[in-house]
Amino acid sequence: MHFQFTILTIPGLGGSGPQHWQSIWEREYNFTRVEQKDWDTPVCSDWIENINNEVKKHEPANVILVGHSLACITIAYWAQKYKVAIKGALLVAPSDTEADTYPPGTTGFTPVPLIKLPFKSIVISSSNDYYVTTERAELFAGSWGSELINVGNAGHINVASGFGEWNEGLEMLKQLDN
């Protein structure tokens, strides 16, 4: 599979381990990970700056961001601050940083920005994600102007819920690559 655009992956809280679909995609397709200094107790403003610094290395109109979990919320904050018209974003399993179920230790990721994103986006959610309810995922997608794809009972769409290679996700990513 070949993508004609620059794909930047952004893991969520804790980063994405070697068996996570983001890591597999990076190895298989030469996608670039946006590295963060602190994966475990992140500060939103730091994560936003790291995304912006990586996007600026490329032609923004040719960049697609692939965020998982907390990274989806970070991408919304980045878009709110910089309003860069990138090619698009695949926002997988956005975490609800305002929910009681969200782990402690993050700084600056609330409230979730409910703004229209200045680029095409697809939110992929699950009906049994511990970190976001279906209703909140629908609210995020609607507010962001994103297409919403609910993949059913898929947990947090990570290794723990059985997602390694995740070819279906690549098919959804291809919808942004046109």
Side-chain angles (χ1 to χ4, degrees):
M1 185 174 303
H2 176 73
F3 289 87
Q4 59 182 345
F5 297 99
T6 301
I7 312 290
L8 302 178
T9 61
I10 309 165
L13 189 62
S16 292
Q19 301 309 310
H20 191 283
W21 55 267
Q22 283 183 314
S23 302
I24 293 170
W25 290 4
E26 290 161 10
R27 290 191 303 270
E28 295 281 323
Y29 306 105
N30 205 28
F31 296 170
T32 300
R33 177 173 291 197
V34 176
E35 291 292 348
Q36 303 292 352
K37 291 179 186 70
D38 187 348
W39 289 110
D40 298 320
T41 55
V43 175
C44 186
S45 58
D46 294 344
W47 278 32
I48 291 168
E49 292 310 312
N50 288 333
I51 291 172
N52 200 56
N53 290 338
E54 190 61 43
V55 169
K56 286 192 310 191
K57 294 177 186 176
H58 309 278
E59 174 58 46
N62 291 327
V63 170
I64 296 175
L65 301 178
V66 178
H68 180 254
S69 191
L70 182 59
C72 300
I73 307 309
T74 312
I75 289 167
Y77 270 106
W78 170 79
Q80 184 176 46
K81 180 172 182 178
Y82 289 104
K83 299 170 181 55
V84 177
I86 58 171
K87 177 76 175 166
L90 188 69
L91 305 168
V92 181
S95 293
D96 186 351
T97 54
E98 297 172 49
D100 292 338
T101 54
Y102 196 76
T106 63
T107 302
F109 293 93
T110 58
V112 174
L114 300 177
I115 56 149
K116 170 97 172 67
L117 300 177
F119 43 81
K120 183 177 178 181
S121 59
I122 300 171
V123 169
I124 301 174
S125 69
S126 159
S127 36
N128 66 337
D129 189 335
Y130 179 76
Y131 297 106
V132 68
T133 64
T134 300
E135 294 74 25
R136 290 287 283 175
E138 290 170 352
L139 172 66
F140 299 161
S143 298
W144 297 338
S146 306
E147 176 186 349
L148 176 64
I149 300 173
N150 186 310
V151 293
N153 291 338
H156 196 48
I157 313 176
N158 59 4
V159 175
S161 52
F163 287 82
E165 209 166 288
W166 197 34
N167 291 322
E168 297 84 2
L170 284 170
E171 292 303 316
M172 296 173 206
L173 176 59
K174 283 200 297 194
Q175 294 177 30
L176 294 168
D177 185 25
N178 57 31

